Amino acid sequence: MSEAQLKDLEEIFEQRIANDEKIEPKDWMPEKYRKTHIRQISQHAHSEIVGMLPEGNWITRAPSLRRKVALLAKVQDEAGHGLYLYSACETLGISRDELYDQLHSGKAKYSSIFNYPTITWADMGAIGWLVDGAAIINQVPLCNTSYGPYARAMIRVCKEESFHQRQGFEIMMSLCNGTEVQKQMAQDALNRWWWPSLMMLGPVDAESVHTEQSMKWKLKRKTNDELRQQFIDQTVPQADILGITVPDPDLKWNEETGHYDFGEIDWDEFWQVVKGHGPCNKERMNARVGAWEEGTWVRDAAMAYAEKQQNKKENQAKAV
Amino acid sequence: MKTNLYNYILELADNCLIGGQRLGELCGHGPSLETDIACTNISLDLFGQTRSYFQYAADIKGGDATEDSIAFLRYEREYKNVLLVEQPNRDFAYTIARQYLFDVFHLLLLEKLQFSQDMTLSAIAKKSIKEVSYHVRFSGDWVKRLGDGTEESHEKMQAAIDGLWTYTNELFEVTEEAKALAEQGIGVDVSKLKETYYQNVTSLLQEATLTVPESKYFQKGGKAGIHTEHMGYLLADMQYMQRAYPNMNW
Amino acid sequence: MEKNWPLWEIFVRSKNGLEHRHFGSLHAADAEMALENARDVYTRRSEGVSIWVVESKNITASNPENNGELFEPAQDKIYRHPTFYTLPDEIKHM
């Protein structure tokens, strides 16, 4: 293909997206579009899978049967969401195994928030309330993104996700309506999860490298800073209802802007965790790699069995 | 209080509770995303059944008993689950073997329990049969895949069956409570399920190219609250919150 | 052995009277496992009453590059649509 032809195709392609047309797997697409989508969708899928670990940490210790089944169902949903997203990603011509390799080798990233430890039961509440809250803000606009399989996966994810945040908030409510010890537990969880949750919405706009292109392809509808502001504005009143304090002395309502002003985020911490030096990066990766490697013989057995059965069927057919 | 009935319900429910707890440990650590989702589903079914039984048991016990006080606040000697279900997830073959050896029994039991004169037990059984039929299918399919898969998987599956076989006979032990209730048409005489159980299991193991263990030495004690050493750790985990923060709502 | 579980496409009938619709895909070693996995992955919230699974490699798809010759010729065959035909106003239902 000549350069001029390529440019033509690209123009038509961009025009289709601008017209709100969806792109489907077999359609022609610029290499950069494919790569960007593989990166973003897989990163999203990895986040779901790694995200199972900090919450999975409390399944066996959930304090009541009701909480236990809700948490199990939630972690199971995350496996499901990872699966929907891996499938969407695979339509771009990359296999699940290659994607896992990228995760296990550290080449692919996942949401940094899951590199923080879950040390009390209240963390289950805080994750549902804050982390899922921030995730939903990120995800809802993606239901309308330009790549068809991703948009369809996100519609399913968002539909199922709505119980997750409520589940978390309800845990927080029970704690805040409980004993002094429980209230302290809730406050402590908010203290530890607040800032990482704000970081989850991505670096400040000035430092965000992909924003412009992502906006064009509808991978993004709002900038990181806009999303962060939206998250803070909707979450602070919820903390008030719970009766716990957001750990930011600079946080205050600004009549003029109609938004909350907030303090400086510690971006050094953010980059440290992104670069692999958070409190649990190594544990999370070891857990994933371990599960995958220990599962090899199981997956191999299933394939071997399937082939044997297939051969049996074919031989029977021949015999008849 | 109807002590017999209460104890009998615990006998039924504790298997679901402890089995569900064991499966729950695996969530996020299984050999594939798809199997993780499946095992979690089974765990959720078992906890659902547990809750129905315990809610009923709490009604019978009265006072301030709840499903949670029954689930979390007993001493180890008061749990009546069979030893089989408390065995740890040594590897995926052990998980599947434990599940399968229990599921076959569980289904046979429920198929009888659905005709219980006790309406609540009968209703729980009817609802559970559908879930457990699926469990048997799932675990049975996996026994075949691992048994008749690769050489390595065959060895592991055989080792798991050999390791857990000693816990199967206890499933058919009839406790005093169960005997009394079976006579009233409320409980199930599990000793009568034994023959069918071993027939079903034998035929599937053979299909899976596995050897049916010949050992006639069996372990028991779970139904009387005498558990294996694994149980204490399982309970320490499960009861942690309720023990560390007593008398709170979550 | 380094053989990966193949990809399967999952079609679910949400309720009787409706067609099976493509729901997504998943990995499984064989058809039986694909069905079981599909049940656990795609019908956790009672989304279905029937499931089809098809190994992805068995699906032949049209190529979007041929969309012109495949689909555009139908566009000017407007006589296939009822609105192509004029009827007197008095006729209400036809």
Side-chain angles (χ1 to χ4, degrees):
Chain A
M1 204 182 303
S2 77
E3 231 164 85
Q5 279 172 313
L6 189 66
K7 209 153 184 273
D8 261 3
L9 277 174
E10 274 175 17
E11 248 166 54
I12 296 170
F13 180 84
E14 297 294 347
Q15 198 49 54
R16 285 180 63 193
I17 294 183
N19 292 344
D20 261 338
E21 267 185 61
K22 297 284 183 217
I23 307 301
E24 292 297 342
K26 294 189 88 175
D27 292 351
W28 182 87
M29 60 185 80
E31 207 36 42
K32 194 170 170 216
Y33 182 88
R34 185 187 302 277
K35 286 213 172 105
T36 304
H37 276 76
I38 289 179
R39 195 189 66 231
Q40 170 155 345
I41 301 172
S42 67
Q43 196 168 317
H44 195 160
H46 297 327
S47 301
E48 296 281 356
I49 300 313
V50 178
M52 293 169 73
L53 298 169
E55 288 176 285
N57 184 30
W58 280 88
I59 288 172
T60 59
R61 291 179 291 169
S64 71
L65 290 174
R66 181 169 180 271
R67 292 288 178 222
K68 195 190 282 283
V69 291
L71 184 62
L72 254 174
K74 181 180 182 228
V75 180
Q76 184 192 40
D77 270 354
E78 280 152 16
H81 297 170
L83 199 147
Y84 305 155
L85 290 161
Y86 281 127
S87 302
C89 202
E90 281 175 90
T91 63
L92 290 161
I94 186 165
S95 71
R96 171 111 56 104
D97 287 67
E98 288 173 272
L99 294 169
Y100 278 157
D101 276 347
Q102 292 180 353
L103 173 67
H104 297 161
S105 68
K107 196 179 149 213
K109 298 268 176 271
Y110 56 88
S111 185
S112 276
I113 193 104
F114 302 119
N115 291 316
Y116 289 87
T118 51
I119 53 183
T120 72
W121 170 251
D123 292 2
M124 296 305 99
I127 288 183
W129 173 39
L130 301 172
V131 177
D132 289 316
I136 290 169
I137 284 185
N138 254 332
Q139 289 171 355
V140 168
L142 288 172
C143 296
N144 228 336
T145 189
S146 65
Y147 188 55
Y150 192 24
R152 290 193 286 275
M154 287 317 300
I155 289 172
R156 195 173 284 278
V157 169
C158 287
K159 216 161 101 189
E160 298 185 351
E161 195 96 353
S162 53
F163 104 78
H164 295 183
Q165 197 188 8
R166 284 181 181 214
Q167 183 259 171
F169 193 76
E170 202 195 81
I171 290 175
M172 295 304 277
M173 284 286 279
S174 302
L175 294 173
C176 292
N177 292 331
T179 61
E180 200 44 47
V181 175
Q182 285 173 303
K183 264 179 235 166
Q184 280 170 17
M185 199 190 275
Q187 179 66 57
D188 169 62
L190 174 58
N191 293 350
R192 284 180 289 110
W193 291 95
W194 175 254
W195 292 104
S197 300
L198 296 190
M199 294 176 200
M200 235 183 112
L201 295 152
V204 289
D205 294 346
E207 285 182 38
S208 178
V209 280
H210 305 298
T211 297
E212 199 191 339
Q213 183 61 268
S214 297
M215 289 269 193
K216 236 201 229 157
W217 288 340
K218 300 178 182 170
L219 278 168
K220 239 183 196 173
R221 286 288 162 104
K222 290 181 183 170
T223 68
N224 294 349
D225 287 335
E226 286 170 332
L227 293 172
R228 191 161 16 246
Q229 189 66 58
Q230 183 188 339
F231 174 72
I232 293 169
D233 290 347
Q234 79 179 41
T235 310
V236 173
Q238 295 166 355
D240 292 341
I241 291 172
L242 290 171
I244 47 182
T245 313
V246 173
D248 178 357
D250 297 326
L251 186 81
K252 66 169 190 292
W253 178 250
N254 184 328
E255 275 301 340
E256 258 169 61
T257 58
H259 294 293
Y260 281 93
D261 293 336
F262 56 98
E264 194 68 37
I265 294 173
D266 180 358
W267 291 108
D268 289 342
E269 177 184 322
F270 175 74
W271 291 113
Q272 179 180 335
V273 181
V274 169
K275 285 176 183 150
H277 307 288
C280 296
N281 294 59
K282 289 202 175 63
E283 279 94 335
R284 301 295 183 240
M285 250 337 84
N286 288 344
R288 281 317 311 160
V289 173
W292 186 246
E293 286 178 353
E294 277 165 39
T296 307
W297 69 270
V298 177
R299 296 189 303 274
D300 286 350
M303 273 316 283
Y305 177 80
E307 273 166 30
K308 280 186 203 175
Q309 293 302 105
Q310 189 62 31
N311 289 343
K312 244 187 236 170
K313 235 191 245 168
E314 278 163 19
N315 288 340
Q316 273 168 1
K318 267 183 219 155
V320 172
Chain B
M1 182 178 102
K2 302 176 189 164
T3 310
N4 270 353
L5 184 57
Y6 176 78
N7 284 329
Y8 183 62
I9 296 170
L10 297 192
E11 189 183 317
L12 296 168
D14 284 347
N15 285 336
C16 302
L17 173 68
I18 304 301
Q21 177 79 1
R22 276 291 184 226
L23 275 180
E25 288 171 11
L26 277 181
C27 190
H29 304 275
S32 80
L33 215 41
E34 284 84 354
T35 42
D36 258 7
I37 295 174
C39 290
T40 312
N41 252 1
I42 296 174
S43 177
L44 280 170
D45 286 343
L46 291 173
F47 282 127
Q49 295 167 19
T50 306
R51 294 185 70 190
S52 306
Y53 285 125
F54 282 168
Q55 281 160 11
Y56 185 32
D59 280 350
I60 293 170
K61 192 166 187 205
D64 44 17
T66 64
E67 58 174 51
D68 288 326
S69 69
I70 298 176
F72 296 102
L73 294 178
R74 280 178 288 152
Y75 297 118
E76 179 174 333
R77 292 282 275 103
E78 296 169 315
Y79 285 84
K80 298 175 184 298
N81 57 284
V82 291
L83 302 177
L84 175 65
V85 295
E86 72 199 43
Q87 297 310 304
N89 300 304
R90 289 199 169 83
D91 62 17
F92 195 64
Y94 263 88
T95 302
I96 289 297
R98 182 189 66 225
Q99 218 43 52
Y100 176 69
L101 293 173
F102 174 67
D103 292 341
V104 175
F105 163 78
H106 198 192
L107 183 59
L108 292 173
L109 169 73
L110 293 171
E111 280 170 350
K112 294 278 184 252
L113 190 64
Q114 66 174 323
F115 302 113
S116 169
Q117 298 297 314
D118 183 297
M119 286 306 122
T120 310
L121 286 185
S122 157
I124 297 174
K126 276 186 190 139
K127 180 172 175 288
S128 308
I129 282 176
K130 290 181 193 144
E131 296 170 346
V132 176
S133 305
Y134 184 78
H135 302 175
V136 179
R137 198 170 103 169
F138 176 84
S139 59
D141 280 352
W142 271 103
V143 171
K144 288 191 273 181
R145 284 190 192 106
L146 298 181
D148 193 15
T150 62
E151 211 171 299
E152 184 185 7
S153 73
H154 178 87
E155 271 171 32
K156 288 196 151 99
M157 196 65 224
Q158 186 68 57
I161 293 287
D162 291 347
L164 294 174
W165 195 254
T166 186
Y167 301 113
T168 52
N169 198 51
E170 189 197 359
L171 293 164
F172 310 102
E173 230 194 62
V174 185
T175 58
E176 287 302 316
E177 293 90 9
K179 194 171 167 216
L181 289 171
E183 280 161 11
Q184 298 166 42
I186 293 173
V188 176
D189 179 352
V190 283
S191 67
K192 291 187 179 147
L193 307 175
K194 191 168 171 175
E195 204 183 320
T196 317
Y197 174 86
Y198 282 110
Q199 273 168 6
N200 291 357
V201 169
T202 300
S203 106
L204 187 115
L205 291 186
Q206 281 167 351
E207 198 186 335
T209 72
L210 294 161
T211 312
V212 180
E214 281 174 12
S215 167
K216 295 276 179 282
Y217 296 101
F218 294 105
Q219 301 298 319
K220 60 175 188 181
K223 288 183 184 179
I226 301 170
H227 294 276
T228 56
E229 288 181 349
H230 306 295
M231 185 70 171
Y233 296 96
L234 183 148
L235 290 181
D237 226 15
M238 191 176 83
Q239 299 185 338
Y240 164 64
M241 289 297 292
Q242 292 274 350
R243 295 295 188 195
Y245 305 93
N247 304 317
M248 297 184 201
N249 291 317
W250 302 96
Chain C
M1 193 165 74
E2 265 304 313
K3 230 171 167 192
N4 302 320
W5 289 359
L7 195 64
W8 298 73
E9 300 302 323
I10 311 303
F11 299 82
V12 177
R13 185 201 294 289
S14 328
K15 60 176 190 189
N16 275 5
L18 296 179
E19 69 277 59
H20 284 78
R21 205 162 57 79
H22 184 234
F23 260 47
S25 49
L26 48 74
H27 289 266
D30 53 47
E32 195 54 35
M33 194 198 290
L35 266 181
E36 288 173 7
N37 290 346
R39 175 258 196 195
D40 289 333
V41 173
Y42 289 107
T43 65
R44 293 199 301 287
R45 289 177 170 79
S46 320
E47 292 95 335
V49 295
S50 161
I51 301 175
W52 290 346
V53 299
V54 185
E55 204 177 327
S56 310
K57 69 170 189 205
N58 292 331
I59 289 181
T60 311
S62 65
N63 189 335
E65 274 170 34
N66 302 333
N67 276 10
E69 63 198 68
L70 285 175
F71 307 117
E72 275 171 32
Q75 280 169 13
D76 66 352
K77 312 292 192 293
I78 47 173
Y79 43 79
R80 288 200 176 104
H81 299 277
T83 45
F84 178 73
Y85 303 92
T86 42
L87 290 179
D89 287 345
E90 300 92 275
I91 298 187
K92 297 281 186 230
H93 305 287
M94 182 180 281

